[in-house]
Amino acid sequence: GSQSPERLGVLCRALLLRAQFVYHEHCMKTRAGAMSLRNTNGGSGPLAVQSPRILQNCVGLGSKMLLERKVRSTVKHISNWIKNDLKSGDTLQVEWVPYTLFDSHSQFAL
C-alpha cells in the first residue's frame, strides 16, 4: 500500500506490543481465576479457560491506527485544498480529542 517502511515498522511493533499485553492480561486473569477456584472449591473441578482473542485485539488496534492516519491525511489534504485552490482566507481548524490507542473500548467520534 501507501505506507512507508518506517510506518509499517511502527505499526508492526505496536501490534506486537498489543499481542504481548493481551496475552499477559489473559494469563494473569486465568491465574487469578484458578487461585480463586482453588480457594473456593478446594482445587476440585475443571477450570474453563477462554481464548485471549489476540488476533481480534490486534486487528482492532491496527484498524484504529490505519484509520487515524487516513483521517489525518485527508484533513491535511482538505486544508491544503482550501488554502491553495480556493484561495480562501479561512482556515480549517480541527480539534483532536485525545483517546488511548491501547484501550480496546476507545472509539473515534466524528
Side-chain angles (χ1 to χ4, degrees):
S2 61
Q3 300 294 324
S4 68
E6 293 82 22
R7 291 202 185 278
L8 288 175
V10 168
L11 178 63
C12 289
R13 284 192 299 273
L15 293 177
L16 179 60
L17 180 63
R18 179 63 180 171
Q20 290 173 338
F21 176 76
V22 169
Y23 182 73
H24 176 72
E25 184 179 47
H26 170 73
C27 288
M28 297 303 288
K29 285 182 179 178
T30 302
R31 182 177 295 154
M35 290 179 145
S36 174
L37 182 64
R38 192 176 310 138
N39 291 339
T40 305
N41 295 343
S44 63
L47 176 64
V49 178
Q50 293 182 341
S51 167
R53 300 187 181 270
I54 293 173
L55 181 60
Q56 292 90 336
N57 277 281
C58 289
V59 168
L61 175 62
S63 63
K64 285 181 191 178
M65 292 177 75
L66 294 175
L67 178 62
E68 178 188 18
R69 177 75 183 135
K70 191 68 166 177
V71 167
R72 288 181 185 271
S73 174
T74 301
V75 169
K76 184 178 178 183
H77 287 301
I78 291 171
S79 179
N80 288 338
W81 175 73
I82 290 171
K83 181 180 172 184
N84 298 331
D85 292 349
L86 295 181
K87 308 275 191 241
S88 174
D90 296 331
T91 59
L92 178 65
Q93 294 181 354
V94 177
E95 180 180 341
W96 298 100
V97 178
Y99 74 98
T100 305
L101 266 181
F102 292 105
D103 181 5
S104 61
H105 300 291
S106 66
Q107 299 177 359
F108 289 108
L110 300 177

